[in-house]
Amino acid sequence: ETCCLTDMIEAAILLARHRSPIYWNDVERYARNYLLAHQYSDMAWIDSLTCSESNSNWQKEAFGRPDAVKSESFRDSLLGGFAGWGAIGSISDNTAYGNANQHCCNAAGARALADVWSNILDDDSRTLQINLHLHRTSEAAAVIAEESESLKLLVHLRKDRALRVRITDFVKASEISVQSSGKDIAASSDGTFLSLGNFKQGELIEISYPLPVRVTEESFAGSKWQYVWQGATVESVSPV
């Protein structure tokens, strides 16, 4: 449920800020693999849903209400909303619960987007710190994340800043390449962040590292599931 996901994201942000920055890894995985994946960006999939008996009873009760909205355009009003009870490997498992949408989840999903967006960067006017490897534009910099077999963060500085970037939990600091104006930049690691030094307004810093493919097996919801990851992103999930 998106409400619960938002609670998890906010808990991980608080832990990252007040306990250990390793929890930024959890925030990014939640954002990439559920929050963004379970936002409604196209409502055409609703046309392929079936109406089971349990679904029919639910619909009869809901649509029998005098204040029920009955319109073909109603589904499009959900565009930008979020899955209520999303399935493990899809936005819906075509059940009465999976096909439901609750406005509490729509509001919570929007709040979670704001939570993630506002925590991508930290800036104290001296040092710009990249916590999450996602797109973000601020007064100090524009950060673009490009992904293929590797991830490249392009940091376009708008202000003079020292720069720090989080080391993801699936690569070593030695695997991260940093360049500016075609020249390699020496960086120092504290185990969680790389310190890249001081840069001037207008400089472009390129930070890149490999996105290894790995397979994990997870047990939940009474079943075992195989996940194929590339970097921090789930590429596929299937029952074992």
Side-chain angles (χ1 to χ4, degrees):
E1 186 171 338
T2 302
C3 288
C4 302
L5 171 71
T6 300
D7 292 341
M8 293 293 289
I9 287 174
E10 291 177 342
I13 289 171
L14 289 172
L15 286 167
R17 291 204 170 278
H18 302 292
R19 181 61 177 176
S20 170
I22 63 172
Y23 288 100
W24 290 124
N25 294 298
D26 296 300
V27 177
E28 185 162 328
R29 282 195 289 267
Y30 292 151
R32 287 176 175 272
N33 300 305
Y34 197 108
L35 182 63
L36 298 179
H38 279 211
Q39 185 177 27
Y40 300 139
S41 59
D42 183 339
M43 302 308 297
W45 59 277
I46 285 183
D47 295 334
S48 65
L49 299 180
T50 58
C51 185
S52 65
E53 185 61 31
S54 59
N55 237 351
S56 295
N57 293 335
W58 196 355
Q59 289 171 343
K60 287 176 183 177
E61 180 182 350
F63 278 83
R65 291 170 54 93
D67 58 347
V69 177
K70 304 173 184 178
S71 170
E72 287 298 320
S73 64
F74 177 68
R75 69 169 193 176
D76 293 329
S77 72
L78 297 177
L79 193 65
F82 292 83
W85 289 297
I88 291 173
S90 63
I91 205 166
S92 169
D93 58 5
N94 202 13
T95 64
Y97 287 103
N99 293 344
N101 174 268
Q102 299 84 23
H103 287 313
C104 59
C105 289
N106 293 330
R111 191 175 86 234
L113 285 178
D115 288 333
V116 172
W117 178 86
S118 62
N119 282 279
I120 292 173
L121 301 176
D122 281 340
D123 180 26
D124 64 2
S125 299
R126 298 182 301 276
T127 300
L128 181 69
Q129 179 171 290
I130 302 175
N131 300 317
L132 304 172
H133 297 186
L134 302 168
H135 302 308
R136 173 70 199 273
T137 298
S138 72
E139 291 184 0
V143 180
I144 303 297
E146 297 181 349
E147 296 185 46
S148 55
E149 293 182 355
S150 62
L151 186 142
K152 180 183 290 186
L153 289 173
L154 302 176
V155 183
H156 301 260
L157 282 179
R158 296 175 166 184
K159 303 283 186 180
D160 294 355
R161 289 291 187 272
L163 190 61
R164 282 165 48 87
V165 60
R166 177 178 59 87
I167 303 168
T168 60
D169 58 355
F170 52 82
V171 298
K172 299 176 181 177
S174 58
E175 297 178 280
I176 300 176
S177 170
V178 183
Q179 289 191 330
S180 179
S181 302
K183 297 180 180 180
D184 291 337
I185 301 296
S188 60
S189 168
D190 63 7
T192 307
F193 281 87
L194 279 183
S195 296
L196 310 183
N198 297 301
F199 299 91
K200 295 294 185 181
Q201 176 183 353
E203 285 195 72
L204 170 62
I205 300 92
E206 298 184 13
I207 305 160
S208 59
Y209 55 85
L211 295 176
V213 175
R214 66 191 191 283
V215 178
T216 64
E217 187 175 296
E218 313 291 343
S219 296
F220 54 87
S223 302
K224 290 184 178 181
W225 304 83
Q226 184 182 80
Y227 282 75
V228 178
W229 299 76
Q230 183 166 22
T233 303
V234 173
E235 296 294 326
S236 66
V237 57
S238 56
V240 176

